[in-house]
Amino acid sequence: VIRALKTSTGYTSARLKSQGHFSALNGTWRALIKVQQATGTWPSWWFLGTSIDTAGWPQCGEIDVMEQYGVPGWAPQTSIYVGTGAGGNTPLTITTETAIDNQWHEWSMAWNSKLKEMQFFKDNTQYWAAGPAQLSPWPFTTQAMFTVLNLAVGGDGGGDPSKTKFPVDMLVDYVQCWV
């Protein structure tokens, strides 16, 4: 359970990451996740390149498998971010909208650096594929990734949490990886 709470001084929640413990260059990742949709919160399951500490973001690459924005009118989505050159601080992004509700769903991502393609699935049904033909530069052929699960409160994607009834939960039954 990743639980967001309102406290006397603000809000508290959690971010779990495998950085320093486990990362992979290729493989299939899957996670069984249930989100509680609430304005002001921003549950997500995503990946960052292991070079985040040296190359920075967005050059290291970011893959958002499941992201539920708490801002009314913002569509839930799956996105890929990479750096651009020219300082590399402006990300290039490709995105697809993904239906998310308050039920359990198995989200998965399979990527093969030789084929240079990522495939995205919800409940074993593929809903998107992306590769360097859609977005360049494409760091994922040589860049290992680590995973992050978090339930953010507020911010650009979360929005104003002041009228939300807390606690808000993001439930994770499992995260698995095959390399």
Side-chain angles (χ1 to χ4, degrees), residues 35-56:
V35 299
Q36 181 180 345
Q37 297 175 330
T39 299
T41 65
W42 189 356
S44 58
W45 179 39
W46 52 295
F47 293 79
L48 277 174
T50 55
S51 68
I52 182 69
D53 294 332
T54 56

Side-chain angles (χ1 to χ4, degrees), residues 122-133:
K122 178 183 169 190
D123 299 326
N124 295 313
T125 300
Q126 184 175 337
Y127 63 88
W128 194 39

Side-chain angles (χ1 to χ4, degrees), residues 1-5 13 33-38 41 43 102 150-151 165-172:
V1 176
I2 302 175
R3 178 164 289 151
L5 300 169
S13 187
I33 300 171
K34 180 178 181 179
V35 299
Q36 181 180 345
Q37 297 175 330
T41 65
N102 293 333
N150 70 278
L151 176 55
K165 182 179 177 186
F166 285 87
V168 174
D169 292 338
M170 176 178 171
L171 305 177
V172 181

Side-chain angles (χ1 to χ4, degrees), residues 8-171:
S8 60
T9 58
Y11 302 91
T12 185
S13 187
R15 176 175 60 187
L16 309 173
K17 58 184 183 173
S18 67
Q19 182 182 24
H21 302 284
F22 184 79
S23 61
L25 177 61
N26 296 287
T28 299
W29 292 77
R30 69 181 184 185
L32 187 61
I33 300 171
K34 180 178 181 179
V35 299
Q36 181 180 345
Q37 297 175 330
T39 299
T41 65
W42 189 356
S44 58
W45 179 39
W46 52 295
F47 293 79
L48 277 174
T50 55
S51 68
I52 182 69
D53 294 332
T54 56
W57 184 90
Q59 297 86 345
C60 67
E62 177 181 331
I63 305 162
D64 301 329
V65 178
M66 181 279 302
E67 192 168 32
Q68 170 62 53
Y69 293 109
V71 175
W74 285 29
Q77 64 185 29
T78 299
S79 305
I80 299 173
Y81 298 85
V82 298
T84 61
N89 295 323
T90 304
L92 292 173
T93 308
I94 52 175
T95 299
T96 188
E97 292 184 8
T98 311
I100 299 175
D101 56 32
N102 293 333
Q103 303 302 311
W104 285 101
H105 293 286
E106 184 181 76
W107 299 91
S108 59
M109 175 187 70
W111 99 80
N112 181 320
S113 65
K114 293 177 185 172
L115 297 176
K116 300 179 184 178
E117 179 179 75
M118 294 179 183
Q119 298 172 330
F120 297 87
F121 300 84
K122 178 183 169 190
D123 299 326
N124 295 313
T125 300
Q126 184 175 337
Y127 63 88
W128 194 39
Q134 292 90 7
L135 192 61
S136 181
W138 186 257
F140 310 108
T141 56
T142 58
Q143 176 65 61
M145 307 292 285
F146 66 90
T147 191
V148 182
L149 290 154
N150 70 278
L151 176 55
V153 178
D156 291 341
D160 180 8
S162 64
K163 295 185 176 142
T164 299
K165 182 179 177 186
F166 285 87
V168 174
D169 292 338
M170 176 178 171
L171 305 177

